[in-house]
Amino acid sequence: MTPTPVDPIDETVEEVITVSSFLPESLQFWVVLLVGAVVAAILAFVFSGVARRVLRRIGVDEADVKATRFPFFGLVTSIVAKSALAIFYGGKPWYNPWQFAILIVLVIFLTWFTIKLVRVIEAGMMARFEAKFGPGRRLAKVQTQVGLMRRVLIAVLCIIAVAAVLLTIEQVRALGAGLLASAGLASVVVGLAVQSTLANVFAGLQVAFTDSIRVDDTVVAEGERGTVEEITLSYVVVLLIDGRRMILPSTYFTTTPFENWSRRSTEITGNVALQLKLNAPIAYLRQRSSELLESSDWWDGRSNELLVTDAQNGLQTVTIYLSARDAGDLWNLRNMLREKLLAELVENYPECLPDPRMIPGNPV
């Protein structure tokens, strides 16, 4: 016959019971529990220390590893408590409620510890990807997808934990069998109730894995420009340039047209338009705009051109085309160039500035 496998936790508990057999029976349970807690604390510190040494080489922060110490301690302690309670008080009338309570605690610590492990694994993966790709678009893509997968996995773990606890109750198992018999009607009702929620969840997955937007992308949505700050399962947070945060459902980015200024790269081109009289010093403006751009750290050196793009009603439109590494630099560069050129025109060439009454649409 094949020997029955022995649970190492139960075997350890029985050994501690043998050692503590000289104590009164009322104290043996607490001695076993205390010894189990001490062993759990030692194992938690050893596990944390070894993991820190191993993961430090790939750039995982020590705080992420230390966060697993307490849930690991609680997990081992609750296993010891559950085994000791079964050995000492298995036949007592109050055994079942306490065993169920300890089971809930055990499931909570197990889920907590698993979630912390998921975060450590995520940190290790991101450290390796950052070392491989460096900062940039590929890293942002991986960060978006890994973060979303982590949220999905944590949600699944929490659902499994709740289901595991509920299925230990006989009444709940019986209720589950009854619900299974009417699953057709229930699925229709639930489907109608959570239709919009599920649509957002699937839209969030689509947004993350089709690469339409990523974290740190510059987008224009609802007429507002901002940076994608966070992508979740059901909504996207856009940080606007004035500090406000626009929260949009994930379905917005799958059903509504929007602008992504950094879809392929963060480099962006823009222009500054000035309306001046026909006697404006074009050569001087062309020279000064080049000097100002070349002296600015915001300019990326790609685009620098001044053209007269329109002329009517005694006014000409002078347009300066320029470029920058990202939308934030472009914003600063345009404002700087406009401010400097207008200040110099006011000081040196005031006669070329238009009279407000010459601008179409302005009241005379």
Side-chain angles (χ1 to χ4, degrees), residues 287-296 299 333 336-337 340-341 344:
Q287 177 187 352
R288 282 299 294 151
S289 63
S290 295
E291 292 173 353
L292 291 171
L293 289 176
E294 291 172 358
S295 64
S296 174
W299 186 53
L333 188 61
M336 181 275 293
L337 192 63
K340 296 285 187 181
L341 290 180
E344 293 183 11

Side-chain angles (χ1 to χ4, degrees), residues 6-20 31-33 35-37 39-40 43 76 79-80 83-84 87-88:
V6 180
D7 190 342
I9 297 293
D10 290 340
E11 186 177 3
T12 304
V13 172
E14 290 178 357
E15 290 177 359
V16 175
I17 292 173
T18 303
V19 173
S20 61
V31 170
V32 172
L33 190 59
V35 172
V39 172
L43 290 177
V76 176
I79 292 175
V80 172
S83 301
I87 294 172
F88 282 105

